[in-house]
Amino acid sequence: MAGRPVDAARSLTAALDEIDRVAGSAPSAERLELRCKTLITLALTEFMLSGLETASARLAEAEELVEDLGDDRLRARLDYQRANIHGRVGDLASAWDGLEGAVRRLDAFTEREQCSVHLSRGMLAFELLRPQEALDSFAEAARLAHELGGAEQEFMARHNEGYAAYLLGDIPRSLAGMARAQELEADVFQGPARLDRAQVLLEAGLVKEAVEALHAGLAELAGDGHDQMRAEFELALARAHRLLGHLGLATGAAVSARETYGRIGATAWAAKARLVELLVDLDRQRRTRRAQGQPEAEPVPPLVGDTTGDTTGALAAAATADELTETAAELGDPELADSARVVAAQALLLAGDAAAANTRLLSLERVSTGSLSDELDAAVVTAMTLVATGDVTPARRILVRASRRLAAGQQGSASLDLRTARAVHGARLSELDLELAVPRGSASVLEALERWRSATDRLPSLGRPDDEQLAQLTEQLRSVRGHLRGENDPAQVRELHDHASRLERQIRDRDWALSRTVGTTRAAPVRVREAREHLSRVDRDLVWFYRHRGRIGAVGVVGGRATMRELVAADRAAELAQRVRVDLRAAATHHLGPLAGAVWSSLRASAAELDDALLRPWRSDRGLVVVTCPELSALPWALLPSMVGRPFTVALSLTSFARRGVARDDAPGASGASGASEVHVSVGPSVPRASSEGRAIVGTWGDGARLVEPSRRDELVNALSRPGVVHVAAHGTHQVESPLFSSLVLHDGPVFAHELQPTGVCADHVVLSACEVGLTSARPGHESLGLAVSLLSLGARSVVAAVSPVPDDVAASTMTRHHELLASGLPSDEALARAVAETDDVAAAFLNLGGQHRP
């Protein structure tokens, strides 16, 4: 019958005639059953040839026979065929009824047929927006296909199970299901699966990875016959480039997708591509206004509607979006209509017509897509519209709910990669929250900053089981990195780098697939008020820097009082911070000779200007807690004149700093916030002073301290999973593009940041006497990753790490002195400040991160 319905109909009709001729006037039950089965098959064939009416007549004949025979097995097959036919004409409700009837009588089918029934039910559940039922059906289909050895069916079931999990918002399970599908050796067209996975990566916030996956998928669509699929890839690319801020690339991909959809008559899809074009154009208009120093729109009354600059483009975009809303209504697509209304509202807001924007939003049918990113996009537009119409209080409530929704969307994942990446979807909401908070004063600003930082600054779920495949991939990467260290041939180095990159991609894929866990860790809840009280108890002030309207602002808690200041142009602050970083790196890593004076003069001048702009206005002489913004990240604060010898901690947030001062009730062998139960020292190869540094530290702490030499990965990971002090004197590397592969080199190879995720980190104080491992890589959404930040995110109370190279002799003397002062009873921030002040200026690269450890 496949591809030849006319021949099939002729054969089936002849079979019916022969059954009737042989059966005569008193057919047996066996003949009636055969006639019924033939009618059921013929119904689908005649549907393909003549349509629903003829097919329905055949099904009615079969129905009479089923009633006469009272055969449930035949009824199951009849229901399944009815579902098949009604599904093809779009009568999804009738199709669902038929499939439910078939599922109730599954024993009427062979096991292979049962798999097909579950696959069909899952696909129909997708169409009916019933993702949980789709998930259940695909999971059962996958189980049956696996038992039967049907690789193609299992691939389809596993992949679709993953896509159903995506619709339910369970990104870890989604990636896990898709990964299991890819492991199967199934002879199927991979285009749709690659596209689905890229869409999930986008939803997860892994935007660069999604772009790579989409380009790889496009490369496989060679030749003709894939226009629709190619356009879907391009539309997803347009969305990804927009998230990355690559507006030219986004426009090009969206236009290409729209033209292709138009050529093949896919009207609804062409409308979706046009909406993305409009969104990119609105982004471009906002960017232009910011560059000209104009507001995008006044967020707070009484200046609502008072816009500057040309609004023609925004009004044109709104008109086009309105036309697309009408197109969606004609097509009967409420989801597309809602998307168009949201775009129209954004355009009208940019044009200053808040009332018209509100009208569009009031018309929303609120069709749920199950997408966190769509939900947050709608929330920001709704909140902005409420603000523009003067309803600020309900707008704030929307922002609070959105921050909680973002936090909830990250729960259940043990992958730091996934947790930090998804913050990109909350970036605009957090910016609006800050915009609303600034006019209300310091307390509101502090609450707004905390709200969004706390949405991602949570301890991840742990307890992930060991995975043999991940372990093998990591060992291969360790081996490749080892060969790289000893290789001098440029061609071999390139080949090894490419091999390492491939392994890192595979490890990240596996990490995402394994990230869904049942175990959890609980962070002690701390409110802003309680955190401010903690600052007073430990005799520290706070300065939290942020970017607002092109300038660096900050909220400070000094002497218990919260104040807010606008400090310096953001571009100037970023320029000075970069100069300090570059000059310090030069001073630490080169034999400068006559240039030394010029380098240090430049460094000190930049540091002094930053000091005057950022710190002196606060008139604080106590120890400091600093929360940075991207422009000031990885800054060696101890080089700023007012910070010399002054204890300070670079924290993730105010509540994060306070939480690290709360007694640890849930750690194995915890003894409260004070007193390290042991001191572990690991050292790496090729560090001349590492052994003597380790012995000096063990001598400082005495009983309970242990130097492990040669040092191995397993021993360090185990030490980090227990309370105490952990010191590592080894070469370290920060991987800019893949921060979870930042590493410390021990005698059995590098220890990667991602390897610490299954066990977590319970150490009270981790000292990394290694170059640059305090650096982080910024990610969209104001999040960052690196080795030191990973340790903190996994549970470490405090970490000492460097943000630039430090000569071995300086590192050894500074860290040895740090431990001496720590063992004498000083808190970690004060011990480090004194150690840095007593040794060498380049030791200012070392920062006390996260919290304050008090021995």
Side-chain angles (χ1 to χ4, degrees):
M1 175 175 157
R4 295 163 58 188
V6 173
D7 292 344
R10 188 180 297 116
S11 298
L12 289 166
T13 302
L16 276 180
D17 292 340
E18 180 65 16
I19 291 169
D20 292 341
R21 186 186 67 76
V22 173
S25 59
S28 65
E30 181 180 351
R31 290 287 176 180
L32 290 175
E33 178 182 344
L34 181 59
R35 190 174 201 281
C36 184
K37 290 179 176 178
T38 306
L39 284 167
I40 290 171
T41 305
L42 181 59
L44 178 61
T45 306
E46 293 195 338
F47 167 76
M48 298 170 69
L49 293 172
S50 305
L52 181 61
E53 186 175 349
T54 306
S56 296
R58 294 297 189 185
L59 291 175
E61 286 185 65
E63 177 84 36
E64 291 179 7
L65 290 173
V66 170
E67 291 290 341
D68 291 342
L69 292 168
D71 190 330
D72 281 349
R73 299 175 69 83
L74 284 175
R75 177 164 295 284
R77 293 182 176 278
L78 175 64
D79 285 341
Y80 184 64
Q81 191 71 298
R82 182 179 285 117
N84 192 359
I85 291 170
H86 282 291
R88 293 184 183 215
V89 297
D91 184 357
L92 303 187
S94 297
W96 183 258
D97 289 342
L99 272 176
E100 291 296 89
V103 169
R104 283 194 297 271
R105 303 176 181 88
L106 268 179
D107 57 356
F109 301 94
T110 66
E111 287 186 324
R112 192 168 297 280
E113 289 171 335
Q114 288 177 26
C115 182
S116 296
V117 170
H118 281 295
L119 280 171
S120 298
R121 184 177 183 270
M123 297 302 296
L124 185 56
F126 270 156
E127 296 293 326
L128 290 169
L129 302 179
R130 296 178 173 181
Q132 183 60 58
E133 288 164 291
L135 187 69
D136 295 340
S137 291
F138 288 133
E140 181 61 16
R143 183 190 67 79
L144 288 167
H146 182 74
E147 291 177 356
L148 294 166
E152 285 74 22
Q153 280 188 314
E154 186 178 358
F155 175 90
M156 186 184 304
R158 295 285 182 207
H159 178 81
N160 287 335
E161 180 185 358
Y163 196 77
Y166 154 67
L167 294 178
L168 285 168
D170 191 343
I171 298 297
R173 181 171 181 179
S174 176
L175 291 169
M178 292 182 177
R180 290 183 69 181
Q182 288 298 324
E183 292 169 6
L184 299 169
E185 295 182 3
D187 184 17
V188 296
F189 176 48
Q190 296 280 345
R194 296 193 187 283
L195 178 62
D196 288 347
R197 184 173 179 276
Q199 299 279 21
V200 176
L201 290 174
L202 267 182
E203 179 71 12
L206 296 163
V207 188
K208 292 181 180 179
E209 294 78 1
V211 169
E212 292 175 4
L214 289 165
H215 279 301
L218 275 171
E220 293 179 3
L221 297 178
D224 299 327
H226 296 297
D227 285 351
Q228 170 86 20
M229 181 67 59
R230 187 175 291 107
E232 289 186 48
F233 272 96
E234 289 174 334
L235 181 55
L237 262 178
R239 291 171 173 148
H241 283 310
R242 179 181 173 239
L243 277 174
L244 292 172
H246 303 158
L247 303 187
L249 292 173
T251 296
V255 168
S256 179
R258 174 173 55 81
E259 291 175 347
T260 301
Y261 287 135
R263 187 171 63 251
I264 63 178
T267 306
W269 282 99
K272 292 177 183 179
R274 183 69 178 117
L275 285 176
V276 175
E277 285 183 70
L278 293 177
L279 286 169
V280 176
D281 185 54
L282 293 174
D283 288 346
R284 188 176 286 109
Q285 292 181 52
R286 293 188 191 97
R287 183 179 289 182
T288 299
R289 291 191 183 189
R290 284 197 297 268
Q292 294 173 349
Q294 301 172 3
E296 294 181 19
E298 283 294 340
V300 182
L303 300 178
V304 172
D306 179 19
T307 58
T308 57
D310 185 10
T311 62
T312 305
L315 290 171
T320 302
D322 285 340
E323 292 173 6
L324 293 173
T325 303
E326 295 175 5
T327 299
E330 293 169 2
L331 294 171
D333 191 334
E335 182 182 329
L336 175 60
D338 271 1
S339 297
R341 292 185 184 105
V342 170
V343 174
Q346 291 190 58
L348 289 164
L349 276 177
L350 196 58
D353 193 345
N358 192 44
T359 300
R360 303 307 187 277
L361 294 177
L362 289 173
S363 302
L364 289 176
E365 297 182 46
R366 304 290 179 183
V367 178
S368 175
T369 64
S371 163
L372 174 63
S373 59
D374 287 350
E375 185 178 332
L376 295 179
D377 283 347
V380 72
V381 178
T382 303
M384 289 174 67
T385 305
L386 287 168
V387 170
T389 54
D391 295 323
V392 178
T393 299
R396 287 198 204 95
R397 285 198 290 267
I398 287 175
L399 293 170
V400 170
R401 286 198 298 269
S403 69
R404 291 171 181 164
R405 182 68 183 88
L406 178 61
Q410 295 170 317
Q411 289 177 358
S413 174
S415 170
L416 290 176
D417 220 358
L418 289 182
R419 294 173 64 80
T420 56
R422 216 168 190 197
V424 66
H425 299 306
R428 290 184 66 200
L429 286 156
S430 64
E431 290 168 5
L432 177 59
D433 205 356
L434 180 61
E435 188 74 44
L436 293 179
V438 167
R440 301 185 52 175
S442 56
S444 294
V445 169
L446 197 53
E447 290 281 357
L449 293 170
E450 276 287 356
R451 183 160 30 251
W452 295 95
R453 187 61 58 88
S454 296
T456 51
D457 178 28
R458 295 165 182 262
L459 295 181
S461 302
L462 302 174
R464 186 172 78 193
D466 290 335
D467 180 73
E468 183 177 349
Q469 181 179 344
L470 183 62
Q472 289 176 349
L473 289 169
T474 303
E475 284 304 321
Q476 291 176 42
L477 180 60
R478 225 186 304 278
S479 175
V480 171
R481 286 278 190 88
H483 284 113
L484 262 171
R485 287 195 301 275
E487 184 58 63
N488 295 317
D489 178 46
Q492 280 294 103
V493 168
R494 282 194 301 272
E495 185 176 334
L496 288 169
H497 269 301
D498 290 345
H499 190 187
S501 296
R502 289 194 298 274
L503 287 169
E504 287 173 4
R505 283 195 294 273
Q506 290 176 276
I507 289 169
R508 292 185 76 196
D509 286 350
R510 192 64 183 167
D511 172 62
W512 302 332
L514 292 170
S515 67
R516 189 170 186 266
T517 67
V518 294
T520 59
T521 58
R522 296 185 303 277
V526 177
R527 297 183 181 276
V528 172
R529 176 180 55 79
E530 297 166 335
R532 290 176 62 171
E533 292 171 355
H534 177 75
L535 281 177
S536 298
R537 284 195 299 272
V538 298
D539 193 33
R540 295 291 182 266
D541 290 334
L542 167 91
V543 180
W544 187 327
F545 298 99
Y546 56 84
R547 179 174 182 141
H548 178 244
R549 295 196 173 190
R551 297 187 67 80
I552 299 298
V555 59
V557 180
V558 178
R561 291 189 58 190
T563 54
M564 184 176 62
R565 298 181 188 277
E566 184 181 293
L567 298 171
V568 63
D571 290 346
R572 180 58 177 169
E575 178 188 351
L576 290 169
Q578 178 64 8
R579 281 188 198 172
V580 168
R581 288 188 288 262
V582 170
D583 287 344
L584 181 61
R585 176 178 289 269
T589 57
H590 297 106
H591 298 290
L592 297 174
L595 295 176
V599 169
W600 278 105
S601 176
S602 171
L603 194 160
R604 291 192 172 103
S606 299
E609 186 176 343
L610 279 173
D611 194 46
D612 289 341
L614 301 175
L615 296 176
R616 292 196 182 278
W618 301 100
R619 302 183 185 279
S620 167
D621 56 5
R622 297 203 293 184
L624 204 59
V625 177
V626 178
V627 184
T628 67
C629 56
E631 290 80 2
L632 303 176
S633 66
L635 188 66
W637 291 91
L639 281 172
L640 277 58
S642 66
M643 296 290 278
V644 174
R646 182 181 183 182
F648 69 92
T649 297
V650 178
L652 299 175
S653 70
L654 170 57
T655 59
S656 171
F657 174 79
R659 189 169 64 239
R660 286 172 165 78
V662 175
R664 192 196 301 272
D665 297 323
D666 56 347
S671 56
S674 64
S677 56
E678 63 179 48
V679 175
H680 171 98
V681 180
S682 284
V683 297
S686 305
V687 181
R689 293 173 176 79
S691 295
S692 59
E693 179 181 335
R695 288 192 296 272
I697 291 166
V698 168
T700 294
W701 289 100
D703 294 341
R706 178 170 174 256
L707 169 63
V708 178
E709 189 176 17
S711 299
R712 303 193 179 279
R713 169 202 170 275
D714 290 346
E715 292 167 311
L716 176 58
V717 172
N718 288 335
L720 288 168
S721 69
R722 301 189 300 269
V725 173
V726 176
H727 181 96
V728 185
H731 288 303
T733 303
H734 174 69
Q735 290 282 91
V736 176
E737 292 299 321
S738 301
L740 282 177
F741 295 97
S742 299
S743 60
L744 297 164
V745 180
L746 300 183
H747 289 88
D748 61 344
V751 181
F752 302 107
H754 83 88
E755 294 184 87
L756 306 175
Q757 293 180 118
T759 57
V761 177
C762 289
D764 299 290
H765 190 52
V766 182
V767 181
L768 303 177
S769 182
C771 294
E772 309 191 290
V773 289
L775 288 174
T776 60
S777 291
R779 308 190 76 163
H782 309 301
E783 289 295 316
S784 57
L785 268 184
L787 181 59
V789 169
S790 295
L791 289 167
L792 292 171
S793 297
L794 289 167
R797 287 184 175 275
S798 61
V799 176
V800 167
V803 292
S804 75
V806 180
D808 291 341
D809 57 338
V810 175
S813 58
T814 306
M815 293 299 95
T816 300
R817 183 58 177 152
H818 171 68
H819 280 276
E820 291 172 355
L821 294 164
L822 196 65
S824 73
L826 293 181
S828 59
D829 57 350
E830 187 172 349
L832 182 63
R834 290 196 189 182
V836 169
E838 292 174 11
T839 50
D840 190 290
D841 284 346
V842 295
F846 284 107
L847 304 178
N848 186 71
L849 303 167
Q852 190 186 52
H853 172 57
R854 290 177 173 264

